[in-house]
């Protein structure tokens, strides 16, 4: 069974390949693909897909990388705070 990824309507000068790349990166991430594999795929897409698709995929992968970094930072802050509370 597959799920459809919904995106905003494409109008005007927007490149549908860009949004297809973003949707594929999102789907790959939701399927559990590790970040390092997503980055490798983004690099591969630069040489083997349209520029719009590659840019969309790479942009979403960068957003995912930042989200993961933010989550890791937050978890480290929480662990540090809990450690200090226990020590007091």
């Amino acid at each position: 069974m597959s799920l459809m990824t919904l995106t905003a309507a494409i109008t005007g000068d927007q490149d549908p390949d860009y949004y297809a790349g973003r949707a594929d990166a999102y789907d790959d991430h939701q399927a559990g693909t590790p970040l390092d594999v997503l980055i490798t795929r983004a690099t591969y897409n630069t040489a083997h897909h349209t520029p719009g698709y590659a840019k969309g995929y790479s942009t979403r992968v960068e957003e995912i990388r930042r989200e993961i970094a933010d989550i890791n930072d937050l978890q480290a802050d929480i662990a540090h705070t809990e450690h200090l509370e226990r020590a007091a």
Side-chain angles (χ1 to χ4, degrees):
M1 182 175 136
S2 64
L3 298 174
M4 182 173 71
T5 300
L6 301 175
T7 61
I10 299 172
T11 59
D13 293 336
Q14 297 171 334
D15 184 2
D17 285 345
Y18 174 82
Y19 294 98
R22 285 186 62 85
D24 285 349
Y26 174 87
D27 289 343
D28 290 347
H29 177 61
Q30 291 300 312
T33 304
L35 180 61
D36 58 334
V37 175
L38 292 174
I39 292 169
T40 301
R41 289 180 184 175
T43 304
Y44 175 86
N45 289 336
T46 303
H48 295 91
H49 287 282
T50 65
Y53 182 91
K55 183 177 179 183
Y57 197 98
S58 296
T59 300
R60 183 62 191 129
V61 168
E62 179 60 20
E63 291 169 358
I64 292 167
R65 186 196 64 75
R66 289 181 185 161
E67 290 168 4
I68 291 170
D70 288 346
I71 290 168
N72 290 341
D73 289 345
L74 182 60
Q75 288 176 338
D77 287 346
I78 291 169
H80 181 71
T81 302
E82 289 174 354
H83 175 71
L84 290 176
E85 289 172 356
R86 279 187 241 142

